[in-house]
């Protein structure tokens, strides 16, 4: 039975890194007769340039019909000055997340032992690191109403957003996190700002209520400012971290750097049936776009997550992950993870090396 994969290259380095992930997917597809059918569509700035809007109807429909979606990245300075937020590239990404109900965002930060020296933190602080950030992705301050930008009667401009969660949204992401914790180290840390924000007082209450259903999981709570500090002080204290949309956005970038480079961090965004979109956690990096130096591994690892979670091809995912490990063993490094004694390779050389490792 064929499975439809929609590929959305997006902007900046998006097309370059997605091209490498496609090579890897096409190789594993042939090797294991997975029956994947890949097609592409426009999103973000690329879609604005071609159609005037960041999420064209055709892309949204293709996304709805696909079994899984692989996305590069969106955004760039040429679209940032548009005062109409609806015409920003990021709206394309946020639109797919919310229209498809992709509320459960899994961001695993795993340190490949070969990269212990690529992290800006001391090797003993990060070696063996394996944490999972579970970020709520379709609610919170990213989507809360009212929101806006206006000039008040006295002529003073103001911007405003609303940080809101109802208990059902919290329970739904809480379950994803408790289940994930149950399947790994059985420790869950819920991150909030319950000393200041009512919405996170409710968040904490609901997490405590859910805990009754998961007595085998150890639950702790941490304020987000402390969590940011603990992530760089002693990151290995964490197993699974669950938090809201904005805190998760911030903490997952910090967690990414523990693994050597944000260029290594994949992610999955899942709906209630595990249908999902897969993307690297890094952005479109317009400053290095087109130079062939971006690290494609986060996107390749996202493709592996896609095979595992949405396409029922766990063995293919394992093979891709071990191919990535092999190329790191061969001392191949893109610039972001380069260190002494290693061989610097381009984006496409890295993709080719993963393909070659798959063939072994
Ligand atoms: C991420 C990104 C997005 C977000 C942007 C591009 C809208 O930073 O996936 O972490 O804020 O969610
Ligand atoms: Mg982010």
């Amino acid at each position: 039975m064929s499975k439809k994969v929609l590929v959305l290259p997006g902007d900046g380095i998006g097309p370059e890194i997605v091209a490498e992930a496609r090579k890897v997917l096409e190789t594993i597809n042939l090797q294991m007769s997975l029956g994947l059918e890949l097609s592409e569509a426009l999103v973000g700035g690329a879609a604005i340039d071609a159609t005037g809007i960041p999420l064209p109807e055709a892309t949204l429909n293709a996304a709805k019909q696909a079994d899984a979606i692989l996305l590069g990245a969106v955004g760039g300075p040429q679209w940032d000055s548009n005062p109409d937020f609806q015409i920003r590239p990021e709206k394309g990404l946020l639109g797919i997340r919310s229209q498809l109900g992709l509320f459960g965002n899994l961001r695993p930060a795993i340190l490949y032992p070969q990269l212990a020296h690529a992290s800006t933190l001391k090797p003993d602080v990060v070696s063996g690191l394996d944490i999972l950030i579970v970020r709520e992705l379709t609610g919170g301050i990213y989507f809360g109403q009212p929101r806006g930008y206006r000039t008040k009667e006295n002529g003073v401009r103001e911007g405003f957003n609303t940080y809101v969660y109802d208990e059902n949204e919290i329970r739904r992401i809480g379950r994803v996190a408790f289940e994930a914790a149950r399947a790994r180290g059985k420790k869950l840390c819920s991150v909030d700002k319950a000393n200041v924000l009512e919405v996170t007082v409710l968040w904490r209450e609901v997490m405590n209520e859910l805990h009754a259903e998961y007595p085998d999981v150890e639950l702790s709570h941490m304020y987000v400012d402390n969590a940011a500090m603990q992530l760089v002080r002693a990151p290995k204290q964490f197993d699974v971290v669950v938090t809201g949309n904005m805190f998760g956005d911030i903490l997952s970038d910090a967690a990414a750097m523990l693994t050597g480079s944000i260029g290594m961090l994949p992610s999955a965004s899942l709906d209630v049936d595990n249908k999902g979109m897969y993307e690297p956690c890094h952005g479109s990096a317009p400053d290095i776009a087109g130079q062939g130096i971006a690290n494609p591994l986060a996107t390749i690892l996202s493709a592996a997550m896609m095979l595992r979670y949405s396409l029922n091809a766990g063995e293919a995912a394992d093979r891709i992950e071990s191919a990535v490990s092999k190329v790191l063993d061969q001392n191949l490094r893109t610039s972001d993870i380069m260190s002494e004694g290693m061989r610097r390779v381009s984006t496409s050389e890295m993709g080719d090396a993963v393909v070659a490792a798959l063939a072994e």
Side-chain angles (χ1 to χ4, degrees), residues 227-245:
M229 181 179 77
Q230 296 299 335
L231 264 179
V232 289
R233 191 187 75 88
K236 284 186 272 182
Q237 71 186 281
F238 297 108
D239 175 25
V240 179
V241 172
V242 63
T243 190
N245 206 341

Side-chain angles (χ1 to χ4, degrees), residues 143-158:
F143 293 94
Q145 295 289 345
R147 64 187 297 157
Y149 179 100
R150 65 188 169 203
T151 305
K152 298 194 286 185
E153 273 168 22
N154 61 5
V156 174
R157 289 167 299 158
E158 72 176 0

Side-chain angles (χ1 to χ4, degrees), residues 163-352:
Y163 190 177
V164 57
Y165 273 120
D166 72 25
E167 59 178 307
N168 295 329
E169 293 174 294
I170 302 170
R171 209 171 285 118
R172 184 168 77 161
I173 192 70
R175 286 218 162 84
V176 170
F178 272 108
E179 294 287 344
R182 177 171 270 175
R184 21 182 301 151
K186 298 196 166 44
K187 270 171 59 184
L188 177 62
C189 179
S190 170
V191 171
D192 62 37
K193 189 72 186 174
N195 50 345
V196 179
L197 303 172
E198 286 83 350
V199 50
T200 69
V201 171
L202 176 65
W203 180 280
R204 192 175 279 220
E205 260 172 41
V206 174
M207 290 296 161
N208 280 331
E209 288 161 16
L210 269 182
H211 190 202
E213 292 175 34
Y214 300 88
D216 52 319
V217 175
E218 185 192 311
L219 173 67
S220 61
H221 302 278
M222 202 180 273
Y223 297 140
V224 63
D225 47 351
N226 185 25
M229 181 179 77
Q230 296 299 335
L231 264 179
V232 289
R233 191 187 75 88
K236 284 186 272 182
Q237 71 186 281
F238 297 108
D239 175 25
V240 179
V241 172
V242 63
T243 190
N245 206 341
M246 181 170 62
F247 296 162
D249 178 44
I250 298 166
L251 294 180
S252 60
D253 267 30
M257 275 319 291
L258 306 173
T259 69
S261 163
I262 195 164
M264 294 299 299
L265 208 72
S267 80
S269 308
L270 304 173
D271 75 0
V272 282
D273 301 315
N274 275 3
K275 173 171 166 171
M277 176 159 73
Y278 298 79
E279 48 176 313
C281 290
H282 60 71
S284 58
D287 52 324
I288 60 163
Q291 298 176 30
I293 59 172
N295 185 348
L297 293 179
T299 315
I300 290 170
L301 292 168
S302 299
M305 285 185 94
M306 173 175 84
L307 291 164
R308 179 174 296 120
Y309 289 106
S310 291
L311 300 174
N312 197 20
E315 198 195 323
D318 292 343
R319 283 204 206 175
I320 292 175
E321 285 162 0
S322 62
V324 166
S325 194
K326 269 191 217 160
V327 304
L328 295 175
D329 281 337
Q330 292 160 7
N331 294 344
L332 304 181
R333 302 285 188 271
T334 41
S335 294
D336 58 314
I337 48 174
M338 185 64 192
S339 61
E340 221 184 294
M342 302 292 125
R343 188 155 84 75
R344 192 186 300 267
V345 294
S346 69
T347 308
S348 64
E349 284 167 336
M350 186 58 108
D352 290 343

Side-chain angles (χ1 to χ4, degrees), residues 74 90 93-94 97 105 107 135 137 142 245 249 252-253 279-283:
V74 295
E90 291 76 8
L93 175 58
L94 298 173
R97 288 176 181 170
N105 186 211
R107 300 192 158 188
R135 168 187 176 195
L137 205 58
Y142 271 50
N245 206 341
D249 178 44
S252 60
D253 267 30
E279 48 176 313
C281 290
H282 60 71

Side-chain angles (χ1 to χ4, degrees), residues 78-95:
Q78 63 270 53
W79 302 286
D80 279 350
S81 53
N82 196 326
D84 181 354
F85 259 68
Q86 298 311 319
I87 312 295
R88 294 275 180 95
E90 291 76 8
K91 279 284 171 191
L93 175 58
L94 298 173

